[in-house]
Each structure stands twice: as C-alpha cells, then as structure tokens.
C-alpha cells in the first residue's frame, strides 16, 4: 500500500489542523487539502487568507497539484478557505452527501437558500458512505462517522485516517455532540468504526486542545494509542459510560465564537453570500441559536 506524506498546519486562533496529503514516492504529484481555514475577525467582519496562504506556499514549493479540497464536516468554529484554495490552485471541493441534512437543519435559521442551494450543488462533489476514490496514486475511502454532526466523514488515505472531530487525541477525547443533529450515541458508534482500523494506522485529528501548557498542539496518534489511552472513547469504554460522560461534558457548553459566520460560509462551500449594493453580509439571527 502506498503510504501518504502528511503536513499539518495548526491555526492557534481556532485550534484547527489543516492537512496537505500527498505521496512523495508517486510520480503524479497530486495532493488533497483537508479542512482549510479562512481567518475571520468577528468584531470587524474582516476575513483574511494569511493562514491558507502558508498552505498554498507549501503546495507550490513542493510542486504539488491539488486534486481534492476536502471537508470532514460543516465546521462551527472556523470558516473554510476551500473556495479561495480552489481559485488559487484548482481541485474539487467535496464533502459527505449527509451535508444535505445539515443544509435542511439550518435553512429555517438563515433563510439563505437564494445563495445556499439545498441540493449541495455548491460543492463540486458529494461522497456516498464507504465510497472509494483516489488522490493520484493514493487509494482513499470514506467512513461516515456521525455524532459530532450528522455529516462527519473520515477520509482513510493509505494508512492515514483524517477523522475531523469524531475523535481527538487520547488526552482530549472526542468532539462535542450538542449541535443540532449531533448524537453522543452515534458518536460512540463512529469511534468503534474508527478504532476497527488496523492498529498501526495513523489517526489525524481536526483540532487539538492540549489539556495544559506543558504539551504543544499535536495532530496524530496511532489507532493502538487511541484504543489504549483515549480518555473518553478508548477500547474499554462502554457505550453507556461514553454517552453519560459526553452528555455531561456538553451540558452548558458555550456557543463557538464563530458559529454564525462559520455555518453560513461553510454551507456555501467557502463562499460569502450574495452582494447587496456591492457589500456581502453575514446574517445574525436574533434569539434563535
Ligand atoms: Fe467541528
């Protein structure tokens, strides 16, 4: 099996990992970008591409060609830079077809259907569960891993699993399940699917929140390490115990600072909305969320 090379880029403002995935040994120079970040300042409503420009610089300096721009889910804590990346480097934007459920959930909140199609056509491609695809010579497949949101997807590329927020590093646990359509029970079932991967596979997480200052943000643990040490979802965790702990920990969690702009932009596959008088707007629904 061809094993991918992986470069992670950490965004300290949102604790997000963006990944570039390619195979140094392959002649084709194709790569995928997973979970990119568009910097956004809520107070001023100003977006910046500084974080993604570092990713673009890396891709260009390696002479790589972007084939896929992938999202593990509709993020609620950062804006995707997928549209900007596609403009700069090409490639196809893609996400799980379960995005259609997420679009349906948020339509009554934002009423943005004039520029946010409910059929998901703003993405270049929607993956089916268990779909197999390729990134140049690299073999890849999809595992539907709902729980954090209904549309979470893990991308298994060679021996590397990019799991978004379905699991975090062993000392952090798993992603919250209190968003609309989230489910602690589904999350547990998804962690079992991921832990069923071979023990030497590398699991790359979507965020890292180090429990204390003693450890720097990290991005990877092996399946064996996750099985033996994940504080919430290790191999020994029972379904009941996981659901109880996950639900308790999600009680009274604050709304992510960038929830409203993130959802609107991410549901449009990285585009800001239709212009009014040459200006684009983020809607703030009052007393809904
Ligand atoms: Fe998330």
């Amino acid at each position: 099996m061809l094993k991918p090379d992986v470069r992670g880029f950490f965004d300290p403002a949102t604790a997000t990992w963006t990944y570039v995935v390619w195979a140094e040994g392959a002649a084709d120079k194709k790569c995928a970008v997973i979970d990119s970040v568009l910097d956004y300042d809520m107070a001023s409503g100003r977006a910046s591409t500084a974080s993604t420009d570092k990713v673009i610089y890396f891709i260009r300096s390696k002479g790589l060609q972007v084939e896929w721009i992938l999202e593990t889910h509709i993020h609620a804590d950062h804006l995707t830079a997928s549209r900007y990346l596609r403009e700069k480097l090409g490639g196809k934007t893609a996400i799980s077809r379960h995005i259609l459920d997420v679009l349906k959930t948020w339509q009554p909140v934002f009423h943005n259907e004039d520029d946010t199609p409910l059929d998901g056509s703003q993405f270049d491609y929607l993956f089916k569960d268990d779909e197999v695809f390729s990134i140049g010579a690299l073999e890849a497949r999809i595992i539907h891993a709902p729980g954090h949101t209904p549309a979470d997807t893990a991308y298994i590329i060679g021996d590397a699993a990019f799991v978004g927020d379905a699991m975090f590093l062993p000392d952090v646990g798993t992603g919250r399940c209190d968003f609309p359509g989230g489910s602690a029970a589904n999350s547990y079932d998804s962690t079992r699917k991921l832990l069923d991967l071979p023990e030497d596979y590398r699991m790359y997480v979507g965020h890292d929140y180090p429990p204390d200052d003693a450890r720097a943000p990290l991005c990877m643990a092996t399946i064996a390490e996750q099985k033996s040490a994940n504080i919430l979802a290790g191999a020994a965790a029972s379904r009941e115990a996981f659901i109880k702990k996950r639900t308790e920990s999600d009680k009274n969690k604050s709304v992510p600072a960038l929830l409203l702009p993130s959802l609107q932009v991410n549901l449009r596959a990285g585009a800001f909305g239709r212009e009014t008088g040459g200006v684009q707007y983020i809607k703030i629904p009052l007393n809904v969320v």
Side-chain angles (χ1 to χ4, degrees), residues 251-273:
K251 248 182 224 155
N252 306 319
K253 266 217 159 91
S254 54
V255 170
L258 296 182
L259 177 91
L260 296 170
S262 297
L263 287 171
Q264 288 169 78
V265 167
N266 297 343
L267 287 167
R268 284 191 210 100
F272 282 95

Side-chain angles (χ1 to χ4, degrees), residues 106-125:
W106 290 102
Q107 187 276 336
V109 175
F110 294 120
H111 294 286
N112 278 344
E113 54 275 18
D114 59 332
D115 60 12
T116 310
L118 292 169
D119 65 0
S121 55
Q122 56 274 49
F123 291 86
D124 296 322
Y125 193 74

Side-chain angles (χ1 to χ4, degrees), residues 72-78 148-149 152 164-166 168 175-176 179 207 209:
T72 53
H73 60 294
I74 293 294
H75 311 282
D77 56 1
H78 69 273
H148 171 58
T149 77
D152 282 59
D165 302 359
F168 292 140
R176 63 195 289 180
F179 296 134
H207 294 284
Y209 308 102

